Amino acid sequence: MDPRLRYAKRAACYVGYYTLGRHLPRHYAVGGRTGQRVRRFLVSRMIDEAGANVNIECGAWFGSGKGIRLGDRSDLGVDCLVMGSVTIGSDVMMGPRCVFISYDHNFSDVSRPMNHQGLVEDRPVVVEDDVWFGAGCIVLAGVRIGRGAIVAAGSVVTKDVAPYSIVGGNPAAVIRSRTPTHP
């Protein structure tokens, strides 16, 4: 496909999503199934990769969608914020108002204001398959969340999370493992 045509289609979906789709009802509200289908249609053409049967809830914000990948049957929760390079695996559940940020401000030069120093290099966020994020989680740049992990509501994840771990708090710490222990 001609790159200009691809860009034009992506731009049209961008306008459609941010003017209408983002404001349609949640999937479980009256008229929500239609809103869910409209959002899925628009977003699957905006982000770099969208798997089958993704669920984009109302209010989700992810800029232009560049650098974002969403696996099969995964959610972007109500009012979530996705900024930068973020890969979300398959079967990922997300509560409302979760935040994923893959970049940060540069602050290394103390002789200049931080807001004049730009951004540091993008450090992608990777979420493996079958992860559950409680409401209000924040996941910072460079973090990998392992398969089958659970991130408790309100947690701030600053370090990698091992597969099948349950983490919570600020900063998030391991609460326990989901795997059974053997004597």
Side-chain angles (χ1 to χ4, degrees):
M1 177 186 298
D2 179 8
R4 291 177 296 184
L5 181 58
R6 186 171 40 243
Y7 175 79
K9 285 183 175 182
R10 196 169 188 163
C13 289
Y14 177 91
V15 170
Y17 177 77
Y18 284 110
T19 58
L20 173 67
R22 174 172 199 246
H23 307 288
L24 294 172
R26 296 174 177 155
H27 82 275
Y28 50 83
V30 174
R33 292 291 177 197
T34 300
Q36 182 182 37
R37 284 191 290 273
V38 168
R39 283 190 296 273
R40 179 182 300 137
F41 174 84
L42 295 170
V43 172
S44 68
R45 285 148 183 82
M46 289 173 62
I47 64 177
D48 286 355
E49 186 179 318
N53 298 315
V54 297
N55 179 37
I56 313 300
E57 284 294 353
C58 68
W61 190 94
F62 43 84
S64 69
K66 186 172 169 44
I68 299 171
R69 290 170 173 71
L70 185 60
D72 297 338
R73 301 168 305 281
S74 287
D75 298 332
L76 289 182
V78 173
D79 296 328
C80 76
L81 173 64
V82 182
M83 298 172 62
S85 299
V86 178
T87 298
I88 296 174
S90 296
D91 301 305
V92 173
M93 298 185 298
M94 187 182 302
R97 294 184 179 85
C98 291
V99 176
F100 300 82
I101 303 173
S102 72
Y103 56 83
D104 204 348
H105 291 278
N106 193 356
F107 55 88
S108 59
D109 185 353
V110 294
S111 68
R112 293 178 27 204
M114 289 179 278
N115 64 351
H116 292 210
Q117 295 184 46
L119 300 173
V120 296
E121 184 177 333
D122 191 70
R123 295 182 340 209
V125 170
V126 176
V127 177
E128 296 179 2
D129 298 341
D130 189 30
V131 174
W132 175 18
F133 292 96
C137 293
I138 299 172
V139 180
L140 299 179
V143 169
R144 175 178 286 271
I145 310 286
R147 177 184 191 88
I150 298 173
V151 180
S155 298
V156 178
V157 184
T158 61
K159 297 177 187 167
D160 290 355
V161 174
Y164 303 103
S165 294
I166 300 174
V167 299
N170 180 6
V174 175
I175 296 170
R176 69 180 179 91
S177 175
R178 291 182 58 212
T179 57
T181 57
H182 300 286

